[in-house]
Amino acid sequence: MATFLYRLGRFSFRKRHFVALFWVALLALAGAGAAGAPAAGNSSFSIPGTEAQKAFDLLDERFPGTSADGATARVVFKAPDGQKMTDPGNKAAVQDTVEELSGGSEVVQVSDPYQGGGVSRDGSIAYASVTYEVSGMELEESSREALKAAAKDARASGLTVEIGGDALQAVPETGSAEIIGIGVAAVVLVITLGSLLAAGLPLLTAIVGVGIGVASITALASTLDLGSTTSILASMIGLAVGIDYALFVVSRYRAELAEGRTREEAAGRAVGTAGSAVVFAGLTVVIALVGLSVVNIPMLTKMGIAAAGTVAVAVLIALTLIPALLGYAGRRVRPAGEKSKLLGGGRAKDAKDKAERPNMGTRWASFVVRRPLAVLLLGVVGLGAAAVPAGSLELGLPDDGSQPVSTTQRRAYDLLSEGFGPGFNGPLVVVVDAEGSDDPQAVFKQAGDEIKALDNVVNVAPAAPNKAGDTATIAVIPDAKPSSVATEDLVHDIRAAGADIKDGTGADVLVTGATAMNIDVSQKLNDALVPYLVLVVGLAFLLLIVVFRSILVPLKAALGFLLSVLAALGAVVAVYQWGWLSGLMGVEETGPIMSMMPIFMVGVVFGLAMDYEVFLVTRIREAHVHGEKPAQAVVTGFRYSARVVTAAAIIMIAVFSGFIGSSDSMVKMIGFGLATAVLFDAFVVRMAIVPAVLALLGEKAWWLPKWLDRALPNVDVEGESLAALDRAADKDDEDKELVRA
């Protein structure tokens, strides 16, 4: 592989015009596709194989035209102190609002509080439900504005009016903090590479890669049913790895220049060595992201594949566009150890003196090699302590109750809880399919009676059959809030009662609704976590055996990843569930952790953790393969790679941290989780635990059974074939000298 990539690097350097034109054309093509594509809607949320989804599909089939997946809004009214919603003036204001909302072009139905039981017992609060024919993300802005205008008109009569539901759902925004993250990355690149031009190359290529990825996602969003969150997560991961991969190639290029190679040769060597690490690091990220498909939640699968595609583009750009741009840069990108004059370069003596002194990576690695056991224990204990909060992890999906108290959705949620009880915000929909029953009406009554007898039930509405009379829906109001354990237990109790009804009558009793859907999602994700870990870690373990030709090094890499991901989950729980540092992180409301957060973090963090493992340990193995003893190889590897890996980690942390400013709670939480995970993995696991373990293992770290060594393909990540080219060239020079003599 090293030889192939070496040739690819030299080709890209020589044919820089062609390569640059290719990527510019690809960016323009993707941009044109995005510009002409319909706007991204809200990806349809389905969970194949769950009872909630089965009931939802049955509703679409048996109750056609009801827009079961349409957006909903609850307009909540509260009377002034001392008044009631049944007072003539207040009642007239509410009915005017209902009439005003009914005229909307996308409105299917508006319920009248005074005819549908929408007034609280004490008469202080009422609500009107609005159903739309399209989903929340597909609503026209005019429909949202009409909803807000109706509420404003009602407020003018003296009522308190708030709006809940998904009709006000907006496309998430990442905020200005993302730009700050890119700014931090730029500063780190300048310090690391010692040149404004060299620092600009990784930023430029990363932006090109993310531009192609995000534009392609936008162009295909409507066709493939991709949600707006998909492009945000793809840009988050693509930007981070794109900068890192380009940084490693540029850094190696400067190191090759410092050894006296020509610029074309240095470009080829950089791609042949660092590029090999980029390929395998990118492959682990792609495996982890594509592996999300095993969960069988289409939205998560699409997010993973889209992000994986962006990572693949970042790899290809690092291998081709970077050497092409280095060709354009010429002498303005200086050898390692030299800075541009603008940054204080040009003092040869100072540079020489500095080169002779051991750098920070050398000093740190030497310290770890001398005290490996102490460093190992300190790192493991520290991460173990950070992981303790993960034991209190509570999973759920966000609802209006998790919104900041400053939003109208949260205030509407609180008013409904006040007037109708906390369970009113999470009603359960029980679907009774009595198609094969002799007496469907009796089945509907039996189901309603058995549900009423269960604990934690406040109200059970009469069964509402369809036109055919073979299927009915029963609305159930729990006593507890939607995210509570009591409500989850009630869902299981209804399903258990439904199983008994099925045994006696043959009718199916299914529970659905947003609350039941959330419970099923959490359960499905929990059930998929172990198979996903086995698949992803297993495939990456095999890949790393091929890369490092060792059993213990990949095993150590996997165990280190588990430590870092558990510690990162602990930090997420501490901030977003317990509320530690919540003000600093912009968390206005704590609550359960997003259900898909653990499995998504496992996938992404594993891929990123293997990035640093490959970049760092490849340099160590390269030194060992070239004859150095294990302890010295660790020091040598850190001398050449610690600075760059540190810079790459800081850049990735800065980029991920930028997404903490997003308006979307999932993006905000994932940004924090990934930034924390990279912090733990890069600076504790890879920079401390990895060298300590390698020092303790010594020569055993590189042990591989002979039969396996013969069976594995030789991918030559450390560039041994390139060293052979050097030896052959040196021998040719010696032969020529002898001939001349």
Side-chain angles (χ1 to χ4, degrees):
M1 174 175 284
T3 304
F4 169 76
L5 293 177
Y6 164 76
R7 291 170 180 163
L8 179 63
R10 293 192 63 171
F11 170 83
S12 300
F13 188 94
R14 288 196 309 270
K15 305 293 185 181
R16 61 186 75 104
H17 302 311
F18 169 77
V19 173
L21 182 62
F22 170 80
W23 285 109
V24 169
L26 194 58
L27 178 61
L29 183 64
N42 190 28
S43 179
S44 57
F45 191 79
S46 62
I47 323 165
T50 62
E51 180 173 315
Q53 186 63 46
K54 183 180 178 181
F56 188 82
D57 295 339
L58 186 64
L59 284 174
D60 272 348
E61 177 188 339
R62 303 288 175 84
F63 293 82
T66 57
S67 300
D69 59 345
T72 58
R74 275 179 170 174
V75 183
V76 188
F77 308 88
K78 183 175 182 179
D81 292 340
Q83 299 182 24
K84 292 187 175 183
M85 290 305 305
T86 51
D87 293 345
N90 295 334
K91 185 174 182 179
V94 171
Q95 289 178 330
D96 287 345
T97 304
V98 170
E99 185 177 352
E100 182 179 349
L101 289 171
S102 299
S105 60
E106 295 179 304
V107 173
V108 175
Q109 180 182 355
V110 182
S111 68
D112 187 328
Y114 303 99
Q115 296 179 5
V119 181
S120 63
R121 288 184 179 179
D122 64 2
S124 64
I125 296 173
Y127 74 92
S129 293
V130 186
T131 306
Y132 294 88
E133 61 186 16
V134 295
S135 67
M137 294 299 290
E138 295 171 325
L139 267 183
E140 296 287 343
E141 191 60 33
S142 58
S143 295
R144 291 195 181 93
E145 291 302 323
L147 185 60
K148 295 175 184 177
K152 185 178 180 181
D153 292 342
R155 290 190 190 104
S157 66
L159 297 174
T160 298
V161 186
E162 305 294 347
I163 306 171
D166 61 354
L168 293 184
Q169 186 176 12
V171 177
E173 299 175 355
T174 56
S176 59
E178 182 184 352
I179 300 174
I180 297 174
I182 296 176
V184 172
V187 172
V188 173
L189 286 169
V190 171
I191 294 173
T192 304
L193 299 176
S195 165
L196 292 174
L197 180 63
L201 294 182
L203 281 175
L204 175 62
T205 55
I207 291 172
V208 169
V210 169
I212 292 172
V214 171
S216 300
I217 291 170
T218 304
L220 298 172
S222 179
T223 304
L224 301 181
D225 191 25
L226 303 177
S228 54
T229 306
T230 303
S231 60
I232 294 178
L233 295 175
S235 66
M236 178 196 301
I237 297 169
L239 190 63
V241 300
I243 294 174
D244 278 8
Y245 294 165
L247 169 61
F248 283 110
V249 174
V250 172
S251 179
R252 188 61 184 250
Y253 171 77
R254 296 178 69 236
E256 296 292 339
L257 287 180
E259 294 183 9
R261 304 192 193 280
T262 64
R263 295 189 177 275
E264 181 180 330
E265 180 69 11
R269 298 283 174 147
V271 176
T273 51
S276 297
V278 166
V279 169
F280 283 99
L283 205 51
T284 59
V285 179
V286 169
I287 287 174
L289 291 171
V290 173
L292 290 169
S293 58
V294 303
V295 183
N296 196 26
I297 294 180
M299 185 183 75
L300 197 59
T301 299
K302 293 170 186 176
M303 286 165 54
I305 292 175
T310 308
V311 171
V313 171
V315 170
L316 293 174
I317 282 179
L319 300 179
T320 57
L321 186 56
I322 281 291
L325 295 180
L326 289 171
Y328 284 118
R331 297 182 180 277
R332 284 168 291 184
V333 175
R334 299 170 179 269
E338 293 186 18
K339 295 182 179 180
S340 65
K341 293 181 179 179
L342 182 62
L343 298 174
R347 293 173 291 186
K349 185 176 184 303
D350 291 345
K352 182 179 179 182
D353 291 343
K354 184 176 180 179
E356 291 174 353
R357 295 195 304 268
N359 60 19
M360 182 65 75
T362 303
R363 294 196 295 272
W364 170 249
S366 299
F367 169 79
V368 174
V369 167
R370 288 196 304 270
R371 297 174 180 81
L373 189 58
V375 171
L376 176 62
L377 290 176
L378 186 62
V380 171
V381 170
L383 290 178
V388 168
S392 303
L393 179 67
E394 295 178 8
L395 298 178
L397 288 178
D399 56 19
D400 285 346
S402 62
Q403 295 276 359
V405 292
S406 58
T407 62
T408 187
Q409 293 97 319
R410 173 57 187 275
R411 292 195 293 266
Y413 180 96
D414 291 340
L415 284 176
L416 288 171
S417 296
E418 176 188 339
F420 301 91
F424 195 80
N425 283 293
L428 304 175
V429 179
V430 178
V431 183
V432 184
D433 179 9
E435 187 178 31
S437 174
D438 295 333
D439 189 356
Q441 291 297 328
V443 174
F444 301 154
K445 185 177 185 306
Q446 179 186 352
D449 291 342
E450 293 200 18
I451 294 171
K452 284 179 184 178
L454 298 174
D455 294 333
N456 197 35
V457 174
V458 171
N459 184 54
V460 178
N466 62 349
K467 289 182 179 180
D470 58 5
T471 307
T473 60
I474 302 174
V476 180
I477 305 298
D479 184 45
K481 64 181 183 179
S483 58
S484 67
V485 175
T487 300
E488 182 176 349
D489 290 341
L490 176 60
V491 170
H492 294 314
D493 290 343
I494 295 174
R495 287 173 174 170
D500 294 337
I501 293 173
K502 182 177 177 64
D503 291 340
T505 66
D508 282 326
V509 179
L510 309 172
V511 186
T512 188
T515 302
M517 192 77 82
N518 290 353
I519 292 169
D520 286 351
V521 168
S522 298
Q523 187 61 50
K524 192 174 182 68
L525 289 167
N526 286 339
D527 293 343
L529 185 56
V530 172
Y532 175 68
L533 268 174
V534 171
L535 173 68
V536 172
V537 176
L539 287 176
F541 181 76
L542 295 176
L543 184 65
L544 292 178
I545 288 178
V546 174
V547 174
F548 296 127
R549 309 194 77 78
S550 164
I551 298 293
L552 295 180
V553 170
L555 180 61
K556 171 259 315 168
L559 293 176
F561 148 74
L562 290 175
L563 275 174
S564 58
V565 79
L566 285 174
L569 276 175
V572 170
V573 171
V575 173
Y576 289 89
Q577 186 175 308
W578 291 0
W580 294 5
L581 301 177
S582 56
L584 182 63
M585 295 297 163
V587 181
E588 296 186 44
E589 190 67 27
T590 59
I593 303 304
M594 195 85 56
S595 294
M596 63 181 65
M597 182 71 183
I599 200 163
F600 190 84
M601 269 191 64
V602 163
V604 177
V605 173
F606 182 78
L608 300 179
M610 295 306 102
D611 275 6
Y612 297 115
E613 179 75 13
V614 170
F615 290 132
L616 189 60
V617 179
T618 295
R619 265 294 197 172
I620 296 173
R621 174 168 172 75
E622 184 178 340
H624 181 63
V625 166
H626 292 164
E628 293 188 9
K629 293 182 178 180
Q632 183 56 42
V634 171
V635 176
T636 301
F638 268 71
R639 179 168 71 246
Y640 289 115
S641 61
R643 177 185 175 90
V644 180
V645 169
T646 300
I650 293 173
I651 289 168
M652 199 169 278
I653 291 169
V655 171
F656 288 149
S657 297
F659 289 84
I660 297 175
S662 172
S663 61
D664 185 276
S665 57
M666 183 174 75
V667 174
K668 180 192 291 284
M669 194 179 294
I670 288 176
F672 173 81
L674 294 183
T676 307
V678 170
L679 175 67
F680 288 149
D681 195 84
F683 293 106
V684 180
V685 175
R686 309 304 153 189
M687 287 292 184
I689 293 178
V690 165
V693 171
L694 291 178
L696 288 171
L697 290 175
E699 198 69 46
K700 295 177 183 176
W702 308 107
W703 172 80
L704 187 69
K706 291 183 179 179
W707 65 268
L708 185 57
D709 188 32
R710 291 191 297 270
L712 292 176
N714 184 13
V715 296
D716 189 24
V717 176
E718 60 276 352
E720 180 62 23
S721 59
L722 301 183
L725 290 177
D726 282 342
R727 290 192 293 270
D730 291 342
K731 188 175 185 306
D732 287 343
D733 291 341
E734 290 176 5
D735 292 342
K736 290 177 183 177
E737 289 295 331
L738 288 174
V739 169
R740 292 193 190 97

